Amino acid sequence: MDKSIEQFDKYIELKDVIVKSNDRIILNIPHAIIPADRITACIGPNGAGKTTLLKVLDGLIVPDSGSVSYSFNTNTALVLHHTPMIKASARTNIAMIQDAYPSITSAEIDLVLERVGLSQLASSPAQKLSAGERQKLCLGRAILQKPNLVLLDEPTANLDPSTTEQVENIVRELSADGSDVIFSSHQLAQVQRLAQYILFIDHGEIKEKGPVGPFFADPQTSAAKRYLHQELAE
């Protein structure tokens, strides 16, 4: 047994995973064990393959080759950075989840709207919500799925500090409620606040992974050292 598996109560295993786009390899993971029992951050340069990895873990993208297996029964919720809204109220947009999960009740929708701080905006047109309000709406939709694994793509990109804090608190609440979280982020301070484990991706490959503290204190690969130096120097 892979010794890294023994560290995790739940995990995802990728073997010989290759994802291509227009004959270009955008994800190449010969073997990786990813913990699913803690908050994990996926970091790396633009175009490194972070979003593609999240989509693979969700099942939205099927690899061109290789396998993805889980040590647990999965119910995933994926929140992408850009999620379109229909021209309707915020409540109608969040209630769309009932199409896939008909057992969700109106009372549950109202409770989630309150939980993410959108009760007062339930009747407002979703198109007129701020970026932060739309993100909270998407998180609310994810919460209603009662997932045990939440995948978040840049959950606070382009949000102001106050809204960022609100979204981070929602992420912590998801974790406290038993939903494990894997999220991508360019905000290294946020990664240090939220995450316990790091996946560093560069050129479609997981170049380094491990606990957050040791990664930031002493990265082991030249790619990670270069990335941290560039990001922290800005």
Side-chain angles (χ1 to χ4, degrees), residues 21-87:
S21 178
N22 299 321
D23 293 324
R24 183 174 67 90
I25 294 177
I26 55 177
L27 206 63
N28 179 16
I29 304 174
H31 185 244
I33 302 294
I34 299 174
D37 58 355
R38 62 201 71 188
I39 299 178
T40 295
C42 182
I43 67 171
N46 285 329
K50 301 185 296 296
T51 301
T52 300
L53 175 61
L54 292 178
K55 290 179 178 179
V56 166
L57 297 180
D58 181 62
L60 189 62
I61 288 179
V62 177
D64 293 277
S65 63
S67 64
V68 181
S69 60
Y70 304 82
S71 71
F72 57 101
N73 293 323
T74 58
N75 175 25
T76 62
L78 172 65
V79 179
L80 295 172
H81 178 41
H82 296 292
T83 303
M85 301 285 164
I86 63 170
K87 292 184 177 180

